[in-house]
Amino acid sequence: MDSSELSSSSLQTKAQEQSAKIKNVGVIGAGTMGHGIAQVFAQAGFNVKLNDVSSDFISGGIRRIESNLSRSVEKGKMTQDEKNGVLSRIIAAPSLEDFKDREFVVEAVLEKIEIKRDVFKKLDKICGNGVILASNTSSIPITELAALVSNSERVAGMHFFNPVPVMKLVEIVKALQSSELTIEVIRALAVKMGKTPVVVKDTAGFVSNRVVCPMINEAIFVYEQGIASKEDIDTVMKLGMNHPMGSLELADFVGLDIVLDVLDVLYKEYEDPKYRASPLLRNMVRAGYLGRKTKKGFYDYP
């Protein structure tokens, strides 16, 4: 065994030891992604504190978790006792100050760099210097967030996919400052949660959104130009490309505001016109037609 293999073996051992010590997790943001992240952590046996800007938002997130778990009980995927156990491991944290006892924190707030900057600056003052701080951002460079905290090597991306309890993939994003140990600890945690982690370099959009958002955007351009109906565009993608969901259906599922936010980040970062958002997409967001979460997007959701 050469020195590089020994180094890798030692790193893996240390990461496993450190991840095994993590029992208490903090999740910031109780929305579409945040409540799902809190749920999968709790299902994996972690004690979770869930934070958001108001108690109402936190309560709403916990209600959605309870609803998700109830469906699992109805389908026979878990028992009532198991459901109660998961819920008992999730508690509301109205203030970020409540995260002083956390050993690992995931940020899942709105995809706005100003908000994320504020969160990371606060976490840097509240959490211990060895606490790993992860971001669920889908497009914002992790390197910029890591630069806001001391001991920036403990910052990395942990990008889950919606719906979090169902989707297996986690993109682990290595910032310029991220240590290999930080990446390996996050990888070990993802595996413990039943996820399949992949490690990607820190570029805007990473792999997933750098590929999928331009695809969605092009489908919107096709629809906007009257080339085909929305139903036929989605049929082409499902039957011709073997996608489980059409591109416009996917946009509604993700949220048109999220798609727009990601495209704007990509356009600003790469200055490439292929990331220019469709005018129709921008106008739909202005109108509040955001997809499933507002009951109206490219399709209506009664």
Side-chain angles (χ1 to χ4, degrees):
M1 182 179 292
D2 63 26
S3 59
S4 64
E5 289 174 322
L6 281 170
S7 176
S8 175
S9 175
S10 176
L11 177 65
Q12 295 294 329
T13 299
K14 192 170 183 180
Q16 290 293 337
E17 290 174 350
Q18 187 166 322
S19 65
K21 294 177 182 177
I22 296 173
K23 307 295 182 185
N24 302 302
V25 172
V27 178
I28 306 169
T32 301
M33 298 301 294
H35 85 270
I37 295 170
Q39 177 181 327
V40 294
F41 266 114
Q43 285 183 215
F46 295 92
N47 301 310
V48 182
K49 283 186 177 179
L50 182 59
N51 168 270
D52 211 312
V53 293
S54 76
S55 295
D56 287 344
F57 284 169
I58 300 171
S59 297
I62 293 175
R63 283 196 298 271
R64 292 174 74 177
I65 293 170
E66 185 170 11
S67 178
N68 291 342
L69 297 175
S70 292
R71 284 195 294 272
S72 293
V73 172
E74 290 169 5
K75 295 177 181 179
K77 294 181 177 180
M78 69 167 49
T79 66
Q80 184 65 40
D81 286 345
E82 288 171 333
K83 170 191 167 182
N84 294 339
V86 173
L87 288 174
S88 72
R89 291 190 288 273
I90 302 172
I91 62 174
S95 169
L96 286 182
E97 292 290 337
D98 296 322
F99 281 27
K100 286 182 178 179
D101 64 346
R102 299 296 92 180
E103 297 145 1
F104 185 88
V105 177
V106 180
E107 166 272 311
V109 302
L110 293 174
E111 196 71 355
K112 302 291 184 183
I113 185 60
E114 299 81 8
I115 301 175
K116 292 183 185 292
R117 283 181 186 140
D118 182 61
V119 167
F120 272 80
K121 287 178 182 177
K122 289 177 178 176
L123 289 175
D124 187 39
K125 296 177 181 178
I126 293 167
C127 298
N129 203 40
V131 175
I132 293 177
L133 306 177
S135 175
N136 180 61
T137 179
S138 55
S139 62
I140 292 170
I142 303 297
T143 297
E144 181 171 352
L145 299 177
L148 300 172
V149 306
S150 57
N151 191 19
S152 56
E153 67 178 19
R154 62 185 167 137
V155 178
M158 192 176 191
H159 180 213
F160 293 83
F161 290 78
N162 186 32
V164 179
V166 175
M167 301 295 279
K168 292 292 185 182
L169 181 64
V170 172
E171 277 182 318
I172 301 174
V173 186
K174 190 177 187 300
L176 193 61
Q177 308 95 318
S178 304
S179 71
E180 292 295 338
L181 180 59
T182 293
I183 298 303
E184 291 306 317
V185 169
I186 296 176
R187 189 202 297 269
L189 292 176
V191 170
K192 186 174 181 179
M193 296 162 70
K195 302 301 183 183
T196 301
V198 298
V199 178
V200 303
K201 292 182 178 179
D202 184 28
T203 58
F206 318 131
V207 173
S208 55
N209 283 303
R210 188 169 173 180
V211 173
V212 76
C213 284
M215 180 195 73
I216 291 173
N217 194 42
E218 193 61 29
I220 298 172
F221 270 120
V222 169
Y223 177 59
E224 184 177 5
Q225 293 164 8
I227 294 170
S229 69
K230 58 191 176 186
E231 293 85 2
D232 286 348
I233 292 168
D234 282 344
T235 297
V236 167
M237 298 309 294
K238 287 185 284 189
L239 301 186
M241 309 303 169
N242 201 29
H243 290 189
M245 191 180 294
S247 297
L248 302 179
E249 291 176 303
L250 179 58
D252 279 354
F253 184 77
V254 171
L256 302 192
D257 54 335
I258 302 300
V259 174
L260 179 59
D261 284 344
V262 173
L263 285 168
D264 282 347
V265 168
L266 293 173
Y267 187 72
K268 180 180 179 182
E269 184 75 14
Y270 299 115
E271 298 183 348
D272 190 326
K274 71 182 180 183
Y275 298 118
R276 179 178 65 88
S278 155
L280 175 59
L281 171 62
R282 200 172 294 280
N283 269 336
M284 290 180 71
V285 172
R286 287 172 179 150
Y289 302 157
L290 308 183
R292 287 179 177 268
K293 59 188 172 186
T294 60
K295 309 298 184 184
K296 184 174 180 63
F298 288 101
Y299 298 91
D300 292 332
Y301 301 91

